[in-house]
Amino acid sequence: MSGNSTMTAADPVYNATTVQEPKNGKWFIVPSEYLDKWRFGIKVAAVLFSLLAFILAATVYLCSSCPALYFFQFASCAAFLFAGLLLLFLATPLHRRVGVSDWPKLDFSYTVAIGFLIFLASTVFAFLHRWTEREQMSVAFGFIACVLFLADAVIFVKTKGWPLRSKPQIPPEHSETPEAEKLTVRSEE
């Protein structure tokens, strides 16, 4: 062994593979590669309207169709939690620390699924409730949140394209990757 056996991060071997986190101290990164200012505003509004719909539905004292109310509460709470978590990841550097390889596909899929779920719950609750003021307001906020989620999805497709389209596979240059090649050990006697 040589006298200089310690390896440092300045060695060129480690610089090519080591990810250097920017030390700018920013925890809020809008606009970013995944979220522009318009979509950020729409997502924040959708999360807030989902929360308001849930709070108002949770304050309904008497229900004529309790399963519809419970489904609406579940959908609006799930919309608030999942969309809020997605917003947290997309608007902060946390998305770099999670092992998600295709954020645009995840963002689009979540947004459409949540928009459809809250639309379905709002529609069912609208047809089966007693028309108290709280129920009417919660249904209205549910539909507003639904429109915002679907508007976000439409803007996503118009600005970034269809994310669910499969990307063309690039053929590998070698038949096996270097990590998959078997090592041959030759012993000389």
Side-chain angles (χ1 to χ4, degrees):
M1 274 186 120
S2 65
N4 189 7
S5 63
T6 60
M7 302 298 264
T8 62
D11 289 336
V13 172
Y14 293 103
N15 284 342
T17 59
T18 305
V19 176
Q20 298 292 330
E21 287 287 328
K23 301 288 182 188
N24 59 7
K26 290 175 72 175
W27 276 98
F28 182 71
I29 51 170
V30 173
S32 70
E33 59 189 305
Y34 300 119
L35 191 62
D36 60 16
K37 287 183 181 181
W38 280 102
R39 288 191 54 241
F40 173 75
I42 291 172
K43 282 187 180 298
V44 167
V47 167
L48 291 177
F49 276 106
S50 300
L51 176 62
L52 288 172
F54 172 71
I55 290 171
L56 286 169
T59 61
V60 172
Y61 296 113
L62 296 172
C63 58
S64 58
S65 177
C66 291
L69 173 66
Y70 299 151
F71 178 55
F72 182 80
Q73 288 175 339
F74 164 75
S76 57
C77 184
F80 165 69
L81 292 175
F82 284 117
L85 184 63
L86 181 65
L87 182 63
L88 176 73
F89 279 118
L90 293 177
T92 64
L94 291 175
H95 69 272
R96 296 181 188 135
R97 298 182 184 268
V98 180
V100 175
S101 61
D102 198 354
W103 279 104
K105 186 182 285 187
L106 179 74
D107 179 13
F108 181 78
S109 301
Y110 262 43
T111 302
V112 169
I114 291 169
F116 177 74
L117 179 68
I118 201 158
F119 172 75
L120 182 65
S122 297
T123 303
V124 168
F125 189 45
F127 282 112
L128 298 177
H129 70 78
R130 293 183 350 209
W131 288 101
T132 65
E133 188 175 313
R134 288 183 186 169
E135 290 172 329
Q136 289 174 354
M137 289 177 60
S138 64
V139 167
F141 286 149
F143 278 120
I144 292 170
C146 167
V147 168
L148 290 168
F149 282 119
L150 297 179
D152 181 32
V154 168
I155 292 171
F156 182 96
V157 169
K158 288 194 177 276
T159 58
K160 298 186 184 259
W162 188 255
L164 302 178
R165 189 173 300 150
S166 63
K167 296 176 182 165
Q169 297 291 331
I170 301 171
E173 293 178 19
H174 303 290
S175 62
E176 291 186 14
T177 60
E179 294 81 16
E181 292 179 6
K182 295 181 177 52
L183 296 175
T184 55
V185 179
R186 295 183 190 192
S187 60
E188 295 183 27
E189 296 179 36

